[in-house]
């Protein structure tokens, strides 16, 4: 009998959490020799999600929940789930039923065949705005150019099954600025992608807006590659060379042809161009310093307020043996 933990991060999902368990369990109970337990992470919801989770945990033995002390963001909520999950494998699913539970049977099958990280790959990005798609493409393109040591998986999100090996490896990475997608890639092991179709949200609204996604992309970039810094060095060298060539050009024009090259327009163009690149370079350096700033504080990734009805103290996060399990 395999034990599998389904980790479900929830933020303001009161309209869907009730639906989630019966709907998913309906499909999962058909999988042979597998015992599923659910671990819902309430990521500081402002609505009735926590009350609903409390009721669910009372009603069903297989349901556990963790409630974080405030909203830490999906990346941190997933980490909490990964830390507390006890199964031989962990499946991460969104609470809004966008990840089809039918796919799980296939995931389990592949896991039993020896894959450590079975990731759901979206087959279409329909239903997403043109702008979102364009930026997503651009992001993948940049990441592909920049990261040399490993390739970021395309259209692969957080819907996946992780073997205990991957789970333990992920637990070692305590960085604060989490770009989980990159971390999954970083750990390696045997990966297998399986296609799935993203469903529309069962209810409620998405919490991701353009800026949240942009920030995530920046985080992904700065926490997985220093290539932009290198690029700036390269740009600096190129501009210096161009400036040198231009200087020679002016010299030649003045000495041979006696042409006093117009001062104001050329000066202002060069000045603005240089000013712009300098600000850009500073901005990029700033992004990395920002990362160092956050990481050097070594703050915990999340704090647990309550688990299955018990008030938690931070230390108990570090001592799994003392955790309250039902
Ligand atoms: N989520 C979370 N914390 C947050 C934002 C989102 O735990 O701060 C959860 C949310 O409850 C959902 C999942 O992350 O289960 C995906 O969020 P959403 O459906 O809003 O994103 P989308 O599917 O549009 O990418
Ligand atoms: Mg969603």
């Amino acid at each position: 009998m395999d034990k599998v933990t389904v980790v479900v991060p929830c933020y303001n999902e009161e309209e869907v959490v009730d639906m989630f368990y019966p709907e998913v369990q309906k499909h999962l109970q058909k999988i042979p020799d597998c015992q599923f337990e659910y671990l819902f992470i309430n990521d500081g919801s402002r609505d009735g999600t926590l009350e609903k989770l409390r009721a669910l945990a009372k009603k069903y033995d297989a349901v556990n929940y963790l409630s974080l002390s405030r909203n830490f963001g999906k990346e941190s909520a997933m980490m909490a789930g990964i830390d507390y999950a006890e199964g031989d494998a962990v499946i991460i699913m969104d609470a809004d039923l966008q990840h089809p539970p039918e796919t799980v049977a296939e995931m389990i099958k592949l896991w039993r065949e020896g894959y450590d990280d079975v990731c759901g790959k979206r087959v279409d990005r329909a239903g997403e705005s043109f702008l979102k798609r364009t930026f997503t493409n651009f992001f993948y393109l940049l990441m592909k150019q920049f990261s040399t040591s490993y390739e970021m998986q395309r259209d692969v999100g957080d819907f996946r099954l992780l073997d205990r090996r991957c789970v333990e490896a992920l637990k070692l990475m305590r960085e604060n600025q989490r770009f989980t997608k990159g971390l999954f890639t970083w750990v390696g092991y045997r990966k297998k992608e399986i296609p799935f179709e993203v469903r529309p949200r069962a209810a409620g609204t998405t919490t991701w807006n353009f800026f949240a996604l942009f920030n995530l992309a920046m985080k992904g970039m700065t926490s997985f590659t220093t290539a932009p810094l290198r690029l700036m060095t390269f740009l600096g060298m190129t501009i210096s060379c161009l400036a040198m060539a231009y200087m020679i050009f002016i010299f030649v024009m003045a000495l041979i042809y006696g042409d006093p090259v117009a001062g104001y327009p050329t000066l202002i163009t060069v000045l603005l161009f240089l000013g712009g690149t300098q600000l850009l370079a500073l901005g990029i350096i700033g992004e990395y310093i920002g990362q160092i700033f956050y990481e050097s504080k070594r703050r915990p990734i999340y704090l647990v307020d309550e688990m299955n009805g018990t008030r938690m103290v931070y230390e108990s996060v570090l001592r799994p043996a003392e955790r309250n399990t039902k």
Side-chain angles (χ1 to χ4, degrees), residues 8-13 41-43 71-75 77-78 93-96 98-99 122 132 198 201 205-208 213:
V8 193
C10 311
Y11 176 56
N12 294 347
E13 302 280 11
I41 319 294
N42 172 37
D43 184 17
N71 177 248
F72 283 90
K74 186 185 178 190
E75 310 285 316
M78 282 192 291
M93 279 176 101
D94 280 2
D96 53 16
Q98 282 190 295
H99 297 157
R122 312 169 153 206
K132 189 172 173 187
V198 185
R201 237 174 184 285
T205 48
T206 172
T207 45
W208 291 98
L213 283 174

Side-chain angles (χ1 to χ4, degrees), residues 45-280:
S45 301
R46 272 172 245 272
D47 61 0
T49 306
L50 180 57
E51 282 73 47
K52 296 237 156 123
L53 289 181
R54 282 186 185 132
L56 269 178
K58 264 212 188 86
K59 198 161 152 201
Y60 302 105
D61 259 356
V63 175
N64 294 291
Y65 73 90
L66 272 182
S67 183
L68 305 186
S69 63
R70 64 170 170 85
N71 177 248
F72 283 90
K74 186 185 178 190
E75 310 285 316
S76 304
M78 282 192 291
M79 194 58 212
I82 285 171
D83 280 342
Y84 280 79
E86 287 171 348
D88 306 316
V90 170
I91 297 175
I92 305 174
M93 279 176 101
D94 280 2
D96 53 16
L97 291 169
Q98 282 190 295
H99 297 157
E102 297 90 315
T103 317
V104 173
E106 180 71 12
M107 284 179 160
I108 300 275
K109 196 175 137 248
L110 287 166
W111 172 54
R112 286 177 171 158
E113 280 171 17
Y115 289 104
D116 300 298
D117 182 354
V118 188
C119 357
K121 185 182 171 79
R122 312 169 153 206
V123 281
D124 66 315
R125 283 192 164 257
E128 284 186 356
S129 70
F130 173 73
L131 196 71
K132 189 172 173 187
R133 255 179 300 147
T134 315
F135 272 93
T136 313
N137 283 339
F138 184 59
F139 171 72
Y140 282 117
L141 185 84
L142 278 184
M143 282 308 273
K144 197 174 168 180
Q145 298 306 318
F146 281 168
S147 46
T148 41
S149 46
Y150 51 84
E151 202 176 314
M152 196 69 65
Q153 292 166 292
R154 243 211 102 114
D155 292 338
V156 168
D158 302 318
F159 179 36
R160 60 176 73 220
L161 179 148
L162 298 160
D163 182 69
R164 191 39 52 194
R165 299 208 282 174
C166 293
V167 170
E168 292 305 320
L170 285 167
K171 280 158 99 172
L172 293 176
M173 293 187 271
R174 308 310 297 181
E175 62 215 70
N176 232 292
Q177 300 292 298
R178 304 191 76 77
F179 183 63
T180 315
K181 202 174 151 78
L183 297 178
F184 290 139
T185 317
W186 191 93
V187 283
Y189 292 117
R190 287 179 213 138
K191 295 200 185 312
K192 179 85 182 167
E193 293 178 355
I194 58 171
F196 77 97
E197 239 168 78
V198 185
R199 300 235 180 96
R201 237 174 184 285
T205 48
T206 172
T207 45
W208 291 98
N209 56 34
F210 179 74
F211 284 106
L213 283 174
F214 182 76
N215 282 339
L216 189 68
M218 278 308 269
K219 207 191 267 181
M221 206 81 88
T222 49
S223 57
F224 276 89
T225 167
T226 50
L229 293 175
R230 180 79 35 86
L231 194 74
M232 282 300 129
T233 316
F234 180 72
L235 200 65
M237 283 188 320
T238 316
I239 291 172
S240 306
C241 290
L242 286 176
M244 195 70 97
Y246 191 51
M247 203 170 78
I248 294 170
F249 170 74
I250 293 173
F251 239 75
V252 171
M253 287 299 270
L255 282 182
I256 301 179
Y257 302 100
D259 173 17
V261 182
Y264 185 73
T266 45
L267 261 182
I268 210 79
T269 319
V270 172
L271 212 76
L272 284 180
F273 178 63
L274 274 184
T277 29
Q278 273 169 0
L279 276 182
L280 180 67

